[in-house]
Each structure stands twice: as structure tokens, then as C-alpha cells.
Amino acid sequence: MLVRLLGWMAALVAASLSPLAQAEDGYDLWLRYARADDTRSQAIASHATALVTTGNSATMAAIRAELQRGVGGLTGGTIADSQSVQAGALWLATPEAGAVLPVKTDGLGQEGYAIRSITRDGKPVTLLAANSEFGLLHGAYHWLRLAQTGASLDALDIRSAPRIGLRLLNHWDNLDGTVERGYAGQSIWDWWRLPDWKGPRYTDYARANASIGINGTVLNNVNAKADSLTAPYIAKAAALADIFRPYGIKVYLSVKWTAPMELDGLKTADPLDPQVAAWWKAKADEIYRAIPDFGGFLVKANSEGQPGPQDYKRTHADGANMLAAAVKPHGGIVMWRAFVYAHDNPDDRAKQAYSDFKPLDGRFAENVIVQVKNGAIDFQPREPFHPLFGAMPKTPLMMEFQITKEYLGQSTHLTYLGPLFEEVLRADTFAKGKGSTVAKVIDGSLEGHRLTGIAGVANIGADRDWSGSIFNQADWYAFGRMAWDTSLTADAVARDWAAMTFSPDPRVVQPVVAMMMGSREAAVDYMTPLGLAHIMATGHHYGPGPWVSNLARPEWNPVYYHKADARGVGFDRTRTGSNAVAQYAPPIAKMLSKPETTPERDLLWFHHVPWTYKLKSGDTLWDAMVHHYDLGVDYVAQMRATWDALRPYIDAERFAETQSFLGIQAREAKWWRDACITYFQSKSGLPLPPGSAAPAHDLGYYEALSFPYAPGHH
Ligand code: GCW
């Protein structure tokens, strides 16, 4: 027995030394801290000869542990704790610690930090200064990022503070462990075994989020169950809050509007009923007893069948304000979603949120923030920015992005979302003249709001690699970085991510970033070019279904969105149609009122255009559409070739997974192209432009495909 055990152990030791054991499964995300080459490793070590910190809080312990882990991994050495500043030390200090800091921390707020190379008593040191330990934590991650990406650690003079206060993940995680629109396995919240079993993954989740500046998480699906507000589930949420607290991450819950009726038998959920208000107040008190720094509530009401205040002839403001009063004494907030459209409203779906919410501007309590999706329909590969941005100056609005790629290839397509985030944040609403960007609306600077926020629907699950694919990790990463600093470019963020995730070697970073940067446009091209939207197949929203016309609600059918007929294609949202363009500020509305002045990328979103309409290139709309579908397919082929050439530089496991997924993407991009071209050709009746290959099958073939077990659809 013993002999056998020893044999086993020898085998294990051998395996851990062999290169195969170096294969990576993606669990470490961008915090791998892989050993740097010798020159680099020495440079890092010389800037981390000692770690000078004060305080014994859990946050300080987390900072020290992360720096140890990081420097240890990158250099193979250790970084010793020291009481005094020595040459090459990393010195972390807050003004509270009594230090007279040679760096001003004014303007850094409670989360920002400064990193400066200074000389202290004649010795070169790196000072990391902040007003709070959370600021130090973020600064430590910044320094580690510099170390990981091969950036210089000399002559540093960095100041960074977020402009947006709430930078949250929204988990659409259900209590039964499934994740709505989740493509990375089951929920990471092990509700069943919480609050007793607190697995290490929760701490790694907090580390990953803190490293990119995320400071809050909504634990449960907006399609909420009342049960999440029962005592056992509050205790479970409290256990998670305890783990996240040292990392500066607060916990929030989605709530179901009718919880007082479901849980305690109240006769109504009318927000103006005193008993209902009292119930929520008592519930908030109960939550805050368990989670003193609980963030607040997120609410999906009167949307897609969820109950809400309108069921009692009250407004969204009535509902939000009642909940806001309940959490206010504790400093909590309410995030009220504007994603609403009603089955009995025949108006253009794209107009309904604005129509419902715009009249409520100025009617929300001060601790309410309205959460608006980036576009007016639903997380499409491309949408024009939501017309509510800039249209409710008296109400703080927060952004809702979708990190999980419900409509962009889910877990297998490589479609980097950084460019989508950048495009939306930089879009100009013209609400207060030129330069009134969406970023300025949500950071509060345009309209003078102090409550500010941005949320991303998480793409995290129990899969070993967290996000369902290595490249999907980049979307989580980019969301956090761009939420912290909306002026970052998608390209810069991709560079950091690629360097940390794979290697800082330019032979890796350059091609990986090149693949990533065009990948979202490629998905637009092979799925919904020129402003097409929502032509995905029923339910799972994965593959193409432009022909679908049999669903109960008109706006659930792709034909509602593209309106293709023998004459042309597209949704007329000008005055001759739904007039959704009038919801934008006058300069934008004017620009969008004519096809000639509408950006071509949004053409069919706003106009029904003849198939023979001439685009700026001189091509007809039909030819251009086919061309875009071809471009998308070609781009995926290029990504495959680029990735194949990276084989020598990437570990076997992550190389193989990405290679396989790119194969899936290539096949499916072609499927999208062929199915859409076949369908639209059945309307246009026009031949394919020269050089464009005939689709592989006829329309009946594509229509017959069905995927009842596609993941993420619950
Ligand atoms: O994107 C759509 C999704 C639903 C989702 C809804 C929402 C949580 O298809 O799955 O429900 O939006 O955002 O509320």
C-alpha cells in the first residue's frame, strides 16, 4: 500500500515538473502572475525589495497577500514585510495612517490612488498613496498590472480615480443554480451549501473584480424569486458579503415586486399602501441587520411579465420611491430598470421605455437611479445609443451593458465587447450641445448628479475558466476597466488583457489584440449588418431566424424588426413610421430623419430602404448586405489563421480550446451568412453580386434547424 502511494507521489512530482503540467485552464484569469523572463524579473524584484504597510485589517491582509502572490509568481522570489522604507521598497500609505505623504491624495476620493516613484531619505521607493485602504487595494492591482504587462516601473507618476460611483456586476443567477443567459455553466453561488460552505472561489471572484475596480455585485436574477428575501437566503447573501467586504465590493439583491404578497400574505403590492411600505421597511431593516453595508435593490418591474407598480395604476416612480424610502435610513439605493415594453402597447418597442420614463423625470427620490440598457431594444450586436440618455436631466441614469453575449455568439464566438462599450460611451447625445457624450451622462458630469453607476450583466459561471471561454474573460475585464475609466480605449484594455492573460511578448499581444479589435464588427457583419437587429432564432437567441413570425407577441418576432418585403428592408422609425427618431435631441433626430444622413451602420434600424438603394460606396443595399455577410465570414477565417500561428507561444490547453471555438465560429458565421442571405434573397429576388458564393442550402433547411437544449435559456 505504502509502496503504491509512494509510486503515486513520484508520478505526481514528475507531472508537476513536466511542461504539460504548465497547461492552463483559465482559472487564474488575468491574475496569473506567470514567471517573467530574467531581465524583467530582476526589474520587478528591484522595485519590490520590501513591502511597507501599516494596519491589520482584512483589506490590508488582502493587499499584502496579492502583492506577495504577484511578485512571487513573476519573480520567483518573495517580498518581505518591512517597517521602514528601504531602497526599492513598495510603500503603501494613507493619510489616516499618520504619515506625512509626499503625494497629495486630494481628489482621489475613497477609491482612487496615486503611484509615484520618489526618493525617501536618499533611497528610491515607489509610493502608493490613497485616502482609504480600498484605494490602496486598487493601486496595488494597478502596480501589479504594470509589472505583468512589461511596463516600466521607473519614474511612475500615476493618479487614478473612478468618475462613476457604482460599478456593478448584475448576475442573472437563479436560486436553483441555473443562470439566465449564462453560457459558463451553473451559477457560482452555491446557494444550497451557503452560508456554511464558503468555497475559495468566492475570494477569487472578489480578487478578480477588485483588480478591475468593480465595487458591487447584484447576486440574483432580475427575474427574481421572492425567496431570495427570506431569512435563510439573507443569511446566505450575508456570508458572501462578508467575503467580498475586504475587497471593497458590496452586495445588492434583485427583488420581486410582489414579495410582500408571496412571502407574508399581504393582499396587495400597491406601493402607496402603507402596509406594503411598512413590509419593505421591515425587510430592509432585517437585511441591514445581517449586511450592514448592503448596497440596495435592483428592480425589473412591469417588464416581460414581471409584476410592478403599474399593476396598481401607479407609476415606476411611485414604486421606486417606496423602496427607496425603505433603504434610505441605511444609506441604500434603488436601481430601477427602464427595460420595459408592454404586450398591450402597439407602439414601436424601441420607443416604449422613453415614453414610460421621460415623463417621470424629476419624480424619483434622491437615492433612486434608473438603469438603462445601452440601446433601446436589447443588447444587439449593434444598437444606436438609448434615447433616454440625455433625455432625463433631473434623474441619475446608470448604464446597463450585457457582458454575457446573449446575442453575440455566447460562449464560443470570439467577439470582444470593448469596441461596443467604447462606441456607446462615446456616442454624443447632443443633450446639451456637442460633446454631451453618454459617458458624461452616466458619470453625472453633464447634468450634475452625484449618484452615478454602470452595470454589466455578468458572464460568470462555475466553468473552470469562469466565462465559458478564455476570450470571454476579456469582456469581464474590459467592462471593469472601462467602468473605472470611461476614457480608456478598447484597444488599450485589450493590450493589457492579452499581456496578462497570455504573455507580454509583442509577438503574442499584437496579433491577439488585432484579432480582438475587429471581432465585434465581424459579428455584426455575419449576423446583423447595416442596422439590422433581433433576427436571432426563438428563445435561445443563438443562431439566425429572420423568418420567424409565429410568436405570440409581435415584438418577439424577427420579422417585426427587419420588415423585409419585395420593395426593401428595415424599420421606418422616421416621421413616416414610428417616429422613434424624435426621441433623440434635435441634431441627432434631424440626422436620422433621412437615409442619406444616417450612419450606414444604423441604416436599417431607422429606415425601410429599397433593395436597390445606392449606398455611398455606389453599391446597392442588396449587394452591400451580401458583402457585409461575406466580410464577417472572412474575418473569422483570418482570426483562425492568426491563432494557428500563435501555437508556439500559447500553452496547449488554452490554445486548443480557442482553436476549437474558432472552428465553431467559422462554421456558424457561415451558417448565419447563408441563412440570412437565403432568406433576404427570397424577399429581394436579386442575384448575388459577382464573386459571392451561393449559400450551402435552401431556406427550408435553415428554417428546419432547431435547438431546444441550447444553454442559457430558462
Ligand atoms: O435580454 C432579454 C433577455 C431576458 C432578460 C431580459 C431583461 C433577465 O432575453 O432573458 O431577462 O432581457 O433584461 O430583463
Side-chain angles (χ1 to χ4, degrees), residues 172 180-181 221-223 300 303-304 337 339 349 373 378-379 400 402 406-407 539 541 712-713:
W172 285 357
E180 179 152 352
R181 311 305 178 185
N221 192 351
V222 289
N223 289 330
K300 172 175 178 176
S303 164
E304 298 186 329
R337 293 176 91 225
F339 176 68
R349 173 174 167 188
K373 287 189 180 179
D378 192 17
F379 301 136
E400 180 175 320
Q402 192 183 47
E406 175 178 353
Y407 297 96
H541 294 159
H713 180 227

Coordinates of all heavy atoms in Angstrom, one line a residue, residues 172 180-181 221-223 300 303-304 337 339 349 373 378-379 400 402 406-407 539 541 712-713, ligand 1:
W172 N -27.5 37.3 -13.4 CA -28.8 36.8 -13.7 C -28.9 35.3 -13.2 O -29.3 34.4 -13.9 CB -29.2 36.9 -15.2 CG -29.4 38.3 -15.6 CD1 -29.5 39.4 -14.8 CD2 -29.7 38.7 -17.0 NE1 -29.8 40.5 -15.6 CE2 -29.9 40.1 -16.9 CE3 -29.8 38.1 -18.2 CZ2 -30.2 40.9 -18.1 CZ3 -30.1 38.8 -19.3 CH2 -30.3 40.2 -19.3
E180 N -29.7 32.6 -16.1 CA -30.4 33.1 -17.3 C -29.4 33.8 -18.2 O -28.6 34.7 -17.8 CB -31.5 34.1 -16.9 CG -32.2 34.7 -18.1 CD -33.7 35.1 -17.8 OE1 -34.2 34.8 -16.7 OE2 -34.3 35.7 -18.7
R181 N -29.3 33.4 -19.5 CA -28.4 33.9 -20.4 C -26.9 33.6 -20.0 O -26.0 34.4 -20.3 CB -28.6 35.3 -20.8 CG -30.0 35.7 -21.1 CD -30.6 34.9 -22.2 NE -32.0 35.2 -22.5 CZ -32.7 34.6 -23.4 NH1 -32.2 33.5 -24.0 NH2 -34.0 34.9 -23.6
N221 N -30.9 37.1 -10.2 CA -31.5 37.4 -11.4 C -32.6 38.5 -11.3 O -33.4 38.5 -10.3 CB -32.2 36.2 -12.0 CG -32.7 36.3 -13.4 OD1 -32.7 37.4 -14.0 ND2 -33.1 35.2 -14.0
V222 N -32.6 39.4 -12.2 CA -33.7 40.5 -12.2 C -35.1 39.8 -12.3 O -36.1 40.4 -11.9 CB -33.5 41.5 -13.2 CG1 -32.3 42.4 -12.9 CG2 -33.3 40.9 -14.6
N223 N -35.1 38.7 -13.0 CA -36.4 37.9 -13.0 C -36.3 37.2 -11.6 O -36.0 36.0 -11.6 CB -36.4 36.9 -14.1 CG -36.6 37.6 -15.5 OD1 -37.3 38.7 -15.5 ND2 -36.1 37.0 -16.6
K300 N -36.7 44.9 -11.7 CA -37.3 44.7 -13.0 C -38.8 44.7 -12.8 O -39.3 43.7 -12.2 CB -36.8 43.5 -13.7 CG -37.5 43.1 -15.0 CD -36.9 41.9 -15.7 CE -37.6 41.5 -17.0 NZ -37.0 40.4 -17.7
S303 N -42.3 44.5 -16.8 CA -41.5 44.2 -17.9 C -41.5 42.7 -18.2 O -41.2 41.9 -17.2 CB -40.0 44.7 -17.7 OG -39.1 44.1 -18.6
E304 N -41.8 42.3 -19.4 CA -41.8 40.8 -19.7 C -42.5 40.0 -18.7 O -42.0 38.9 -18.3 CB -40.3 40.4 -19.9 CG -39.7 41.1 -21.1 CD -38.3 40.6 -21.4 OE1 -37.6 40.1 -20.5 OE2 -37.9 40.7 -22.6
R337 N -35.0 49.5 -13.2 CA -34.7 49.3 -14.6 C -35.7 49.9 -15.6 O -36.9 49.9 -15.3 CB -34.6 47.8 -15.0 CG -33.4 47.1 -14.3 CD -33.4 45.6 -14.6 NE -32.7 45.2 -15.7 CZ -33.1 44.4 -16.6 NH1 -34.3 43.9 -16.6 NH2 -32.3 44.0 -17.6
F339 N -35.9 48.9 -18.7 CA -36.1 47.9 -19.7 C -37.6 47.5 -19.7 O -37.9 46.5 -19.1 CB -35.2 46.7 -19.6 CG -35.4 45.7 -20.6 CD1 -35.1 45.9 -21.9 CD2 -35.9 44.4 -20.2 CE1 -35.3 44.8 -22.9 CE2 -36.1 43.4 -21.1 CZ -35.8 43.6 -22.5
R349 N -41.5 49.0 -30.1 CA -40.9 48.6 -28.9 C -39.7 49.5 -28.5 O -39.5 49.8 -27.3 CB -40.4 47.2 -29.0 CG -39.5 46.7 -27.8 CD -39.2 45.3 -27.9 NE -38.1 45.0 -26.9 CZ -37.5 43.8 -26.8 NH1 -37.8 42.8 -27.6 NH2 -36.6 43.6 -25.9
K373 N -30.6 50.1 -20.5 CA -29.7 49.3 -21.3 C -29.0 50.2 -22.4 O -29.6 51.3 -22.7 CB -30.5 48.3 -22.1 CG -30.9 47.1 -21.1 CD -31.6 45.9 -21.9 CE -32.0 44.8 -20.9 NZ -32.6 43.7 -21.6
D378 N -32.4 45.6 -27.1 CA -32.0 44.5 -26.2 C -30.6 44.0 -26.6 O -30.5 42.9 -27.1 CB -33.0 43.4 -26.2 CG -32.8 42.4 -25.1 OD1 -32.0 42.8 -24.1 OD2 -33.3 41.3 -25.1
F379 N -29.6 44.7 -26.2 CA -28.2 44.1 -26.3 C -27.9 43.5 -27.6 O -27.2 42.4 -27.7 CB -28.0 43.0 -25.2 CG -28.2 43.5 -23.8 CD1 -29.0 42.8 -22.9 CD2 -27.7 44.7 -23.3 CE1 -29.2 43.2 -21.6 CE2 -27.9 45.1 -22.0 CZ -28.6 44.4 -21.1
E400 N -26.6 50.0 -18.4 CA -26.6 48.5 -18.3 C -26.1 47.9 -19.6 O -26.7 48.0 -20.6 CB -28.0 48.0 -18.0 CG -28.1 46.4 -17.9 CD -29.4 45.9 -17.5 OE1 -30.1 46.5 -16.6 OE2 -29.8 44.8 -18.1
Q402 N -24.5 44.4 -21.4 CA -24.5 42.9 -21.2 C -23.2 42.3 -21.5 O -22.7 42.3 -22.7 CB -25.6 42.3 -22.1 CG -25.9 40.9 -21.7 CD -27.0 40.2 -22.6 OE1 -26.8 40.3 -23.8 NE2 -27.9 39.5 -22.0
E406 N -25.4 37.2 -25.0 CA -26.7 36.6 -25.4 C -26.8 36.6 -26.9 O -27.3 35.6 -27.5 CB -27.8 37.3 -24.7 CG -29.2 36.8 -25.1 CD -30.3 37.5 -24.4 OE1 -30.0 38.3 -23.4 OE2 -31.5 37.3 -24.7
Y407 N -26.5 37.7 -27.5 CA -26.8 37.9 -29.0 C -25.5 38.0 -29.8 O -25.5 38.4 -30.9 CB -27.5 39.2 -29.2 CG -28.9 39.2 -28.6 CD1 -29.2 39.8 -27.3 CD2 -30.0 38.7 -29.3 CE1 -30.4 39.9 -26.8 CE2 -31.3 38.8 -28.7 CZ -31.5 39.4 -27.5 OH -32.8 39.4 -27.0
G539 N -36.1 32.1 -28.6 CA -35.8 31.6 -27.3 C -34.3 31.8 -27.0 O -33.9 32.6 -26.2
H541 N -31.8 32.7 -28.8 CA -31.1 33.9 -29.4 C -29.7 33.5 -29.9 O -28.9 34.4 -30.0 CB -31.0 35.0 -28.4 CG -32.4 35.6 -28.0 ND1 -32.6 36.3 -26.9 CD2 -33.6 35.5 -28.7 CE1 -33.9 36.7 -26.8 NE2 -34.5 36.2 -27.9
G712 N -28.5 28.4 -21.4 CA -28.7 29.8 -21.0 C -30.1 30.3 -21.1 O -30.4 31.5 -20.7
H713 N -31.0 29.5 -21.6 CA -32.4 30.0 -21.8 C -33.3 29.3 -20.9 O -33.6 28.1 -21.0 CB -32.8 29.7 -23.3 CG -34.2 30.1 -23.6 ND1 -35.1 29.3 -24.3 CD2 -34.8 31.3 -23.3 CE1 -36.2 30.0 -24.4 NE2 -36.1 31.1 -23.8
Ligands
GCW1 O1 -32.3 40.4 -23.0 C1 -33.5 40.0 -22.5 C2 -33.3 38.5 -22.2 C3 -34.0 38.1 -20.9 C4 -33.7 39.1 -19.8 C5 -34.3 40.4 -20.3 C6 -34.0 41.5 -19.3 C7 -33.5 38.8 -17.5 O2 -33.6 37.8 -23.3 O3 -33.5 36.8 -20.6 O4 -34.3 38.7 -18.6 O5 -33.7 40.8 -21.5 O6 -33.0 42.2 -19.4 O7 -34.8 41.7 -18.3

